[in-house]
Amino acid sequence: MSLFDLFSGDRRTPDAAPARPLPADPVGERIPVIELVDVAKTYRMGTQEVHAVRNVSLRIDAGEFVAIIGPSGSGKSTLMNVIGCLDVLSSGEYRLAGEDVGVMDEVELAHVRNRRIGFVFQQFHLLPSLSAWRNVELPLVYAGVGREQRRRRAVEALTRVGLGDRIDHKPGELSGGQQQRVAVARALVGDPALLLADEPTGNLDSTATEDALLLFDELHRQGRTIVLITHETEVAERAQRVVRVRDGVVQPDERPVGAPV
Ligand SMILES: Nc1ncnc2c1ncn2[C@@H]1O[C@H](COP(=O)(O)OP(=O)(O)OP(=O)(O)O)[C@@H](O)[C@H]1O
Ligand SMILES: [Mg+2]
């Protein structure tokens, strides 16, 4: 997976506008941001089949802060790839903000990733030769937004994550926690419906972890929809709702974090 895959959109129809607000259904109810119905993802390795995710039905509404937690190999990243439209389902249905992902081709998937989802990763995935604001503007470059608006929105996003005084710093001139905040700013700059984070604190020390989690708390209070994947209970505890994955299956009960499994 390359940065291009993550941030590129459909360049045939450049559109400077931020993502549209989520549509409402005919009775005026909000459409869920994520709706997975009986989803499975199977990898074929020669004659062997790996059922990385199976029978997963999950609904996440606008404004929710959800942690997905499970042991290593339980299918968390597979689920993240499915939710992030980075991988196609083997079976089942997936609607993202009401749109059926199953019928989309590569170009449409790229467009949806660019407009609907902000990604944050354990490894930050920043380009080392670019300054903070140049990294943050990348999704807008792919979306065809004009130069001045790109810079203005990148600086705004960096200010929102507390890095208004570091916009010209390159990743190597920033601490790990600051680099992760640049990555969060980049995820937010396109005003996506969903912020999707896979082990975002995995490479941070405890202070930077706390700062990053406070930032997620604040983004949640501002009404963002956040899905955070982690194997750390202390991190999952910060979410409003915890979804447990085990052997590729979402556990039906959502016990409080820390409760015996
Ligand atoms: N590309 C692939 N091809 C074949 N099998 C895969 C592939 N990706 C993942 N798997 C298998 O699917 C299962 C789920 O893997 P996944 O990466 O989703 O786990 P995870 O919960 O993210 O683990 P971790 O906490 O270690 O990151 C594992 O058994 C893994 O070996
Ligand atoms: Mg993983």
Side-chain angles (χ1 to χ4, degrees):
M1 177 176 56
S2 69
L3 284 178
F4 178 80
D5 291 328
L6 287 175
F7 305 122
S8 63
D10 178 359
R11 305 204 65 189
R12 294 173 311 181
T13 53
D15 171 11
R20 298 180 305 276
L22 295 183
D25 75 13
V27 283
E29 229 176 79
R30 297 295 275 183
I31 286 175
V33 175
I34 293 172
E35 201 174 13
L36 298 171
V37 183
D38 208 10
V39 161
K41 177 70 195 176
T42 304
Y43 294 108
R44 285 197 176 75
M45 309 286 291
T47 54
Q48 201 198 348
E49 286 193 337
V50 179
H51 300 283
V53 161
R54 56 207 158 97
N55 302 333
V56 170
S57 294
L58 183 65
R59 173 187 168 130
I60 296 177
D61 287 321
E64 280 199 276
F65 182 2
V66 178
I68 296 180
I69 191 169
S72 179
S74 58
K76 300 184 299 296
S77 293
T78 305
L79 201 50
M80 147 116 183
N81 289 343
V82 164
I83 291 173
C85 303
L86 290 160
D87 214 342
V88 289
L89 312 180
S90 303
S91 63
E93 291 168 38
Y94 176 24
R95 280 180 293 278
L96 175 66
E99 293 183 75
D100 185 356
V101 173
V103 301
M104 294 182 188
D105 63 20
E106 269 308 315
V107 172
E108 289 167 319
L109 288 173
H111 187 76
V112 161
R113 282 197 295 270
N114 183 274
R115 299 301 165 88
R116 296 286 191 203
I117 307 169
F119 292 91
V120 180
F121 296 97
Q122 181 172 356
Q123 312 288 353
F124 317 144
H125 287 308
L126 300 174
L127 293 178
S129 61
L130 298 183
S131 64
W133 83 265
R134 288 278 187 197
N135 267 289
V136 171
E137 72 161 358
L138 270 180
L140 302 180
V141 172
Y142 291 121
V145 176
R147 194 186 151 83
E148 277 188 14
Q149 199 189 142
R150 289 202 309 264
R151 166 143 178 128
R152 184 176 53 74
R153 284 168 61 181
V155 172
E156 264 172 27
L158 281 165
T159 306
R160 235 181 300 162
V161 300
L163 288 178
D165 57 351
R166 292 287 188 278
I167 61 171
D168 291 317
H169 286 236
K170 290 183 179 162
E173 298 159 353
L174 295 167
S175 72
Q178 289 172 334
Q179 289 180 54
Q180 192 55 301
R181 280 193 272 157
V182 173
V184 173
R186 181 183 57 194
L188 292 175
V189 77
D191 202 17
L194 173 65
L195 194 62
L196 191 53
D198 193 2
E199 302 279 2
T201 58
N203 274 336
L204 302 181
D205 65 23
S206 56
T207 312
T209 292
E210 180 56 25
D211 286 348
L213 291 174
L214 286 172
L215 179 59
F216 281 115
D217 287 343
E218 191 188 327
L219 294 169
H220 175 229
R221 275 199 305 276
Q222 291 167 0
R224 300 261 164 200
T225 311
I226 302 172
V227 174
L228 189 159
I229 290 167
T230 182
H231 65 274
E232 293 173 272
T233 354
E234 315 83 74
V235 173
E237 263 164 10
R238 304 295 280 264
Q240 185 191 33
R241 181 178 153 205
V242 178
V243 171
R244 289 164 194 279
V245 188
R246 174 172 282 250
D247 296 330
V249 179
V250 166
Q251 303 299 288
D253 59 331
E254 289 176 17
R255 277 162 296 194
V257 185
V261 180

